Amino acid sequence: MVEITHPLYQEDIQNILSIKGIDILKNKSFLITGSTGMVGTMLIDALTAIEGVNIIAVGRNTQKVNRHWLQLPRFSFLEHDVRTPFPDSLQVDYILPMASNTHPLAYSQYPIETMMVNIKGCENALNLADKTGATVVMTSTNEIYGNAKGEEDFYEDSNGTLNLSSARSCYNESKRTCEAMCQSYKEEHGTKVKIARLCRIFGPTMLMSDSKASSQFIKKALSKEDIILKSDGNQYFSYTYVADAVMGLLTVLINGEYGVPYNVSSEKTNIRLKDFAQMCAEACDRKVVFDLPTDIESKGYSTAQRAILNNDRIKAIGFQPKYEMRDAILRTIEILKASNNE
């Protein structure tokens, strides 16, 4: 688990708490699924530092809960499968359905589970919002755009190309369904829902089991091993340091319009995959090695070659990303070194 007292991690938390309008969250209550994931962990660490905030974290395994959370007076953990309805007794101001399989091995090995956690988790969050009057902040993904056509950047009304002819589509198509469900609930029931499209997040709250390329690069750097690249590395993507992602998510929660999707991305961390790998290799004085993926690995990989998300819309409501790519990688490694030495 992340070392919450690390100076760099505390700096990240303070950056999150400095965003415009954060004080309106004082004394509010949150239901957060996917609470022990990369974004959920840093989000909860930030929210628990705000006066009077109450958090109900949802997960399937109590053992994964960060130990320091359990000592907090306004924190509780609900052991619950998001594919089933939430208890009627819950009363909260905000619901963030973030539970999801978010790495390639899960897509290839558990495509049905991946789809149903996304779809049923979103449906049950929306139904709870209807009962309580809460606002749902849906975390969507860059994956809904698919592959770019030529050199285009993705604006919120863009459509790339998607391939349904493989189980890999379990993730992006279920997230597209979730967005359509949010719009349908808003239109038919008047449900208060906001949408944040996150993209390729990395950072010190990553799980060691994460099979995404960025996480594998960072794990190799921590182990002082050569960085293994499973392609030519020319893919050009928007990445987001986790603290920037949380700042963007909270900016949408505070200032976003209902039913309007926002790309949460940073032009400071747009990078080719091989350059991401090279920065990680340089951080541990190693090199990049090119290797072919196994059949199981390749089934879970995205076929996208370019996915750059334009962030003009979210900047117009106050989002300003802070982190340069090299700094984000180095602080990730430094925080994780301390966490692994606990």
Side-chain angles (χ1 to χ4, degrees):
M1 294 181 183
V2 69
E3 176 50 67
I4 190 171
T5 61
H6 194 287
L8 291 176
Y9 192 74
Q10 282 299 308
E11 184 177 76
D12 289 343
I13 297 298
Q14 291 307 310
N15 284 336
I16 293 167
L17 296 176
S18 71
I19 67 173
K20 185 178 179 180
I22 196 77
D23 284 347
I24 73 165
L25 300 184
K26 288 181 179 179
N27 302 311
K28 299 297 185 182
S29 55
F30 292 78
L31 178 76
I32 300 173
T33 76
S35 56
T36 58
M38 193 184 309
V39 178
T41 295
M42 185 168 275
L43 174 63
I44 290 175
D45 283 338
L47 289 175
T48 53
I50 299 173
E51 180 184 334
V53 165
N54 287 277
I55 293 175
I56 302 171
V58 179
R60 286 186 288 182
N61 188 347
T62 308
Q63 300 303 313
K64 293 183 178 181
V65 180
N66 287 4
R67 295 185 297 273
H68 65 272
W69 292 346
L70 298 175
Q71 311 303 316
L72 301 173
R74 298 181 186 275
F75 176 89
S76 61
F77 183 78
L78 175 63
E79 193 167 353
H80 180 83
D81 188 328
V82 298
R83 291 172 291 184
T84 62
F86 291 104
D88 290 337
S89 59
L90 292 175
Q91 290 289 329
V92 292
D93 298 303
Y94 296 101
I95 302 169
L96 287 88
M98 298 196 297
S100 181
N101 291 333
T102 58
H103 58 98
L105 280 180
Y107 306 153
S108 64
Q109 294 175 331
Y110 310 110
I112 297 172
E113 177 185 281
T114 297
M115 291 194 72
M116 299 316 297
V117 166
N118 286 341
I119 293 170
K120 296 300 292 185
C122 181
E123 178 189 22
N124 289 322
L126 291 165
N127 285 336
L128 180 62
D130 280 354
K131 294 174 184 175
T132 63
T135 296
V136 172
V137 184
M138 165 69 188
T139 51
S140 188
T141 171
N142 62 277
E143 295 262 5
I144 64 147
Y145 294 115
N147 200 8
K149 300 171 183 175
E151 296 297 307
E152 70 172 345
D153 292 347
F154 288 129
Y155 292 76
E156 284 83 355
D157 58 354
S158 299
N159 289 297
T161 59
L162 287 164
N163 178 16
L164 293 176
S165 301
S166 92
R168 174 62 175 76
S169 65
C170 64
Y171 183 67
N172 47 36
E173 286 302 316
S174 57
K175 282 293 191 179
R176 285 165 68 96
T177 298
C178 289
E179 285 206 29
M181 198 184 308
C182 287
Q183 300 292 359
S184 299
Y185 269 73
K186 174 182 176 291
E187 183 70 22
E188 189 170 334
H189 295 174
T191 310
K192 294 182 291 185
V193 61
K194 301 182 180 186
I195 300 169
R197 293 175 179 165
L198 307 179
C199 67
R200 291 185 169 84
I201 299 166
F202 69 98
T205 50
M206 60 178 267
L207 300 175
M208 289 299 111
S209 59
D210 194 335
S211 61
K212 290 196 295 291
S214 56
S215 297
Q216 293 299 309
F217 298 163
I218 291 165
K219 284 166 63 177
K220 290 291 186 181
L222 282 170
S223 302
K224 297 188 179 301
E225 298 178 33
D226 290 338
I227 308 297
I228 308 299
L229 196 56
K230 297 284 188 174
S231 69
D232 60 13
N234 285 318
Q235 302 94 318
Y236 187 39
F237 295 145
S238 289
Y239 288 87
T240 317
Y241 182 61
V242 64
D244 267 337
V246 173
M247 283 188 277
L249 179 60
L250 288 176
T251 299
V252 173
L253 184 152
I254 294 165
N255 299 318
E257 295 182 43
Y258 295 125
V260 176
Y262 295 86
N263 288 337
V264 180
S265 66
S266 169
E267 65 280 5
K268 298 178 180 180
T269 45
N270 293 339
I271 194 171
R272 294 196 182 279
L273 192 64
K274 61 184 178 183
D275 296 327
F276 194 142
Q278 186 62 41
M279 286 186 185
C280 290
E282 289 173 358
C284 63
D285 196 27
R286 304 297 293 182
K287 62 181 182 295
V288 176
V289 177
F290 293 83
D291 189 24
L292 293 176
T294 66
D295 288 342
I296 291 177
E297 288 173 328
S298 62
K299 286 179 181 178
Y301 288 167
S302 169
T303 59
Q305 292 298 306
R306 177 184 173 91
I308 300 298
L309 273 61
N310 177 278
N311 61 6
D312 289 347
R313 180 179 289 176
I314 193 171
K315 280 186 171 180
I317 62 169
F319 176 59
Q320 288 296 330
K322 289 185 177 292
Y323 299 87
E324 302 287 346
M325 177 57 87
R326 193 176 299 277
D327 174 49
I329 289 172
L330 291 175
R331 69 196 298 121
T332 296
I333 292 171
E334 287 305 309
I335 295 169
L336 283 171
K337 280 180 182 177
S339 302
N340 293 338
N341 290 330
E342 280 187 295

